[in-house]
Amino acid sequence: MLQGDTGPLAVSDTTVTQAVLEAARENAVRYRDRSALADSGQELGYGHLAEVVPAAAGGLLRHGVRAGDVGAIHLAGVCDLALAVHAVTAAGAVPAPLPAGAAPAELAAMLNETGARFLLTGGEIAERSLAAAERSYVRQVFAFGDVPGATPFGRLVEAGTGGPPPV
């Protein structure tokens, strides 16, 4: 409630991720796969965003992520970051974005402080992420791109399109 408001607190049943996905679906119909986000090396279209997030969320669930788990996100690109944050949220987990420029020791401390059980990383910062994960409670690492020792994000998407996740 905002300062000065005296009425009851209104809580929405809609999460930010649900609102973003609904807007992406609507814009995909209207604009096809026009860019929703862009960074220096990548573009993310509305249709792709609306399709990939729920599939990746299903993949996270198939890989054992449970509601309330904390998922650390250590990514430099805005497109991958958006996919990761919304996929983690759609899976019922709690995203914990980490600063892209942090050193492995600092990252490890943040991973432990947040209680992160899994990590999404990729690109040029993945090496630091993996070094930090080795000194934390992180049990699974998912990565955008080819990162040795990590499950590719694409595999999450594939796993999430194979029907409902196990309960």
Side-chain angles (χ1 to χ4, degrees):
M1 189 173 310
L2 299 175
Q3 183 177 3
D5 285 347
T6 58
L9 181 61
V11 178
S12 174
D13 288 335
T14 302
T15 67
V16 170
T17 293
Q18 289 169 328
V20 166
L21 291 177
E22 183 59 32
R25 286 184 200 104
E26 289 174 9
N27 283 309
V29 169
R30 187 178 310 150
Y31 303 117
R32 301 189 186 264
D33 211 25
R34 186 183 291 176
S35 291
L37 295 170
D39 58 30
S40 61
Q42 186 178 9
E43 288 187 14
L44 178 61
Y46 289 111
H48 189 70
L49 174 65
E51 191 175 294
V52 169
V53 167
L60 286 168
L61 294 171
R62 286 189 179 279
H63 279 83
V65 170
R66 297 177 311 231
D69 282 353
V70 175
I73 300 170
H74 190 228
L75 292 160
V78 68
C79 294
D80 292 344
L81 180 65
L83 288 173
V85 167
H86 290 301
V88 168
T89 303
V94 180
L98 304 175
E106 184 182 7
L107 289 169
M110 286 186 263
L111 290 170
N112 288 326
E113 188 175 304
T114 62
R117 304 303 289 167
F118 64 98
L119 167 70
L120 286 104
T121 189
E124 68 279 355
I125 63 176
E127 187 175 325
R128 284 184 281 134
S129 301
L130 292 174
E134 290 177 8
R135 296 184 267 174
S136 73
Y137 302 114
V138 167
R139 297 293 171 250
Q140 295 184 76
V141 178
F142 305 102
F144 290 85
D146 185 22
V147 176
T151 301
F153 187 80
R155 193 170 300 156
L156 288 178
V157 174
E158 290 171 11
T161 58
V167 179

